[in-house]
Amino acid sequence: MAVLEAENRQLREEYARARQTTYRRTAVSLLVVGLLGIAGGVVFPDARTVLFALGGTGIFAGVLTYFITPERFISAEIGGRIFEAARADREATIDELGLRGEPVYVPGDAVRLFVPRDVDAPLPESVTDLDLFVVPEDPTTGGVAFHPTGVPLFEEFSDTMDQSLGTRPQSAAPVIADALVDVFELADSVESAVDTDTQRVTFEISGAGLGDPTAIDHPISSFLGVSLVETLGEPVEVTVTEDDPLTVTCRYGHRE
């Protein structure tokens, strides 16, 4: 066992070094291209403007690539296993409390995933500072309020944005769909469609990662739900259908 553990650790370290080496070789190649462009601009005055621009771009890209090389790589399989542990706790909590309502992402000081006690039960009057176990005077409005996995993802996404998502689903949906692919790499492709008549936003997802995408509060559906709550300022109910492609339907509008 000790020998196997040592070999596995060595393999992980070698894999990380190989990935880092690939990044750094790319950085060196870009730097070489940049220096050749600068040198070409000196030798060939007629093309100096173009070659200097090429050289400057190559040097900048090389330096940037070198310094953003990740220090540690975590596989999607490991991330999926970590999420499965959180999923098991949430499903056990719901089962032991006998909750039968559909999960709803609700706004407040921080977005929460609220699971009501009964089907079609009204949301609590105040969702500003929900506890984990919501026990109001009216027993029909109780339930649990989880911290969604999509909140830290949305915060990270917000830090990369240079402008607001706005307040309309038509403007927010394609942006957050692209973020799943380009920012977090949680899917291969995502297409969005907004239907204002039925107050729903539909996302079709190909190549979803991190375990079972139909699980409660999976990072993909959670990020989409949280993002729409932050955009619209109202509750959002998320339904995931495991078709081909995977479909995440977000329904908004005040729930009585």
Side-chain angles (χ1 to χ4, degrees):
M1 290 293 293
V3 172
L4 288 175
E5 289 176 357
E7 290 179 350
N8 286 335
R9 183 167 55 253
Q10 182 180 1
L11 287 173
R12 287 194 296 268
E13 291 173 353
E14 290 178 355
Y15 175 72
R17 282 196 296 269
R19 293 289 301 273
Q20 290 174 340
T21 299
T22 300
Y23 274 83
R24 286 169 181 164
R25 284 177 179 171
T26 302
V28 171
S29 299
L30 290 170
L31 285 172
V32 170
V33 171
L35 292 174
L36 289 176
I38 297 295
V42 174
V43 175
F44 303 103
D46 293 341
R48 180 168 297 169
T49 301
V50 175
L51 291 172
F52 276 1
L54 177 63
T57 302
I59 292 174
F60 174 77
V63 172
L64 186 63
T65 301
Y66 182 85
F67 282 104
I68 66 172
T69 299
E71 294 296 327
R72 178 173 297 177
F73 296 90
I74 300 177
S75 69
E77 182 180 358
I78 293 176
R81 290 183 179 273
I82 293 173
F83 167 70
E84 288 300 322
R87 170 193 180 182
D89 282 342
R90 297 191 177 192
E91 290 181 346
T93 301
I94 292 172
D95 289 342
E96 291 184 15
L97 293 176
L99 305 180
R100 296 183 295 273
E102 293 296 327
V104 181
Y105 292 92
V106 295
D109 292 342
V111 179
R112 291 290 193 97
L113 176 62
F114 179 71
V115 184
R117 174 176 295 180
D118 296 311
V119 177
D120 296 328
L123 297 176
E125 292 183 0
S126 174
V127 294
T128 303
D129 187 20
L130 291 175
D131 295 324
L132 174 60
F133 299 102
V134 182
V135 187
E137 294 182 0
D138 182 356
T140 64
T141 61
V144 295
F146 297 111
H147 293 278
T149 60
V151 167
L153 292 178
F154 180 79
E155 292 173 350
E156 181 72 18
F157 169 60
S158 298
D159 291 339
T160 67
M161 295 181 59
D162 56 3
Q163 60 183 5
S164 171
L165 284 174
T167 58
R168 300 170 64 247
Q170 294 92 330
S171 60
V175 178
I176 59 179
D178 290 342
L180 282 178
V181 179
D182 300 328
V183 178
F184 301 115
E185 299 183 5
L186 291 176
D188 293 337
S189 65
V190 182
E191 298 293 334
S192 63
V194 179
D195 187 340
T196 55
D197 293 334
T198 59
Q199 294 185 308
R200 69 177 62 190
V201 184
T202 303
F203 300 90
E204 293 186 348
I205 301 168
S206 299
L210 286 184
D212 181 6
T214 64
I216 181 174
D217 198 41
H218 185 276
I220 289 178
S221 57
S222 184
F223 171 72
L224 296 174
V226 168
S227 299
L228 288 176
V229 171
E230 294 285 0
T231 299
L232 304 172
E234 56 185 271
V236 172
E237 184 175 328
V238 176
T239 304
V240 183
T241 306
E242 195 173 11
D243 293 329
D244 188 17
L246 181 80
T247 302
V248 178
T249 303
C250 301
R251 296 177 176 84
Y252 59 94
H254 182 68
R255 176 176 169 179
E256 299 297 339

